[in-house]
């Protein structure tokens, strides 16, 4: 093969790779446009934020595994390792009763330790990444089941956990407090920090779902569909507005959580 032919092949390979990237991005644009035309609610900010939050975990994992793929490796254990890190955080926080920062440190230390073991197998013992990370994945899956006893770990009684896991509005509240701003903050759903902010007046109020209405309308629509009746595309299940004047009323307290 001549030098000219080698250069031509390299150019064709780069062109093919570029076309694949453009095609993938174009497919994403087509999907977004298609869903936006199919539903007027798709391109609303609330829906976009919900999609981003749902994809945030996979996004963080993708950033980490991208660095491995760039170097010609692969990591099959990344999803199972994430689960095992959560298990260890749960052990420290719920079973051990430790403060939240220690639980976070335990999760990070668990991930670093398992990564160090896999990296040692690959870099020092020359075990192929596919085999090393496959073994780590199976080991972590077994350890997760053994540590938890095949039972779920709940973080309901862990102070501050919901604020870092679900409290997207808490960042706004912190900014309002620090700047002394007159911005009116309105939240959605519930949470201990949000309820406290409503009680002290930092947040004007919030809108929460109606679980009873959701259940009722779901059963009603299912029965109607089973009878062959036409079911509306959009069903209003109701909602509640609450602020510091009615947050402790029985009707509102029944649909709130910490």
């Amino acid at each position: 093969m001549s030098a000219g032919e080698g250069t031509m092949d390299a150019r064709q390979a780069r062109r093919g790779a570029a076309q694949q990237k453009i095609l993938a991005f174009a497919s994403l644009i087509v999907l977004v446009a298609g869903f936006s035309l199919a539903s007027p609610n798709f391109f609303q900010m609330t829906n976009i934020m919900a999609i981003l939050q749902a994809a945030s975990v996979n996004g963080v994992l993708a950033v980490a595994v991208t660095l491995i793929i760039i170097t010609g490796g692969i990591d099959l254990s990344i999803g199972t390792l994430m689960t095992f890190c959560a298990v260890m955080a749960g052990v420290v926080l719920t079973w051990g009763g430790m403060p939240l920062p220690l639980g976070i440190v335990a999760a990070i230390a668990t991930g670093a330790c398992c990564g160090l073991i896999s990296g040692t197998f690959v870099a020092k013992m020359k075990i192929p990444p596919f085999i090393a990370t496959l073994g780590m994945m199976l080991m972590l899956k077994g350890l997760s089941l053994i540590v938890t006893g095949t039972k779920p770990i709940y973080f309901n009684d862990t102070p501050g956990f919901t604020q870092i896991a679900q409290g997207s509005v808490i960042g706004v509240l912190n900014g309002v407090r620090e700047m002394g701003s007159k911005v009116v903050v309105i939240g959605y759903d519930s949470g201990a920090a949000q309820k406290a902010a409503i009680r002290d007046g930092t947040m004007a109020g919030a809108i929460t779902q109606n679980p009873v209405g959701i259940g009722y309308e779901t059963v009603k629509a299912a029965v109607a569909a089973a009878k062959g009746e036409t079911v509306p595309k959009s069903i209003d299940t109701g909602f509640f507005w609450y602020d510091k004047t009615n947050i402790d009323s029985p009707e509102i307290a029944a649909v709130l959580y910490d």
Side-chain angles (χ1 to χ4, degrees), residues 140-162:
L140 294 176
K141 184 179 294 186
L143 285 175
S144 297
L145 295 174
I146 292 172
V147 172
T148 61
T150 69
K151 297 179 181 178
I153 299 177
Y154 297 101
F155 294 85
N156 297 342
D157 298 327
T158 303
F161 185 82
T162 55

Side-chain angles (χ1 to χ4, degrees), residues 1-25:
M1 179 185 296
S2 65
E5 292 175 347
T7 303
M8 183 65 68
D9 291 340
R11 289 177 179 175
Q12 290 177 349
R14 287 196 296 268
R15 187 179 298 112
Q19 289 175 347
Q20 289 181 348
K21 295 176 182 178
I22 293 174
L23 181 61
F25 185 72

Side-chain angles (χ1 to χ4, degrees), residues 61-71:
L61 295 179
V63 170
V65 80
T66 297
L67 302 177
I68 300 174
I69 296 175
I70 288 175
T71 59

Side-chain angles (χ1 to χ4, degrees), residues 201-223:
T202 307
M203 181 183 292
I207 298 172
T208 187
Q209 304 175 73
N210 180 7
V212 176
I214 293 174
Y216 173 79
E217 293 294 343
T218 299
V219 174
K220 180 180 176 182
V223 171

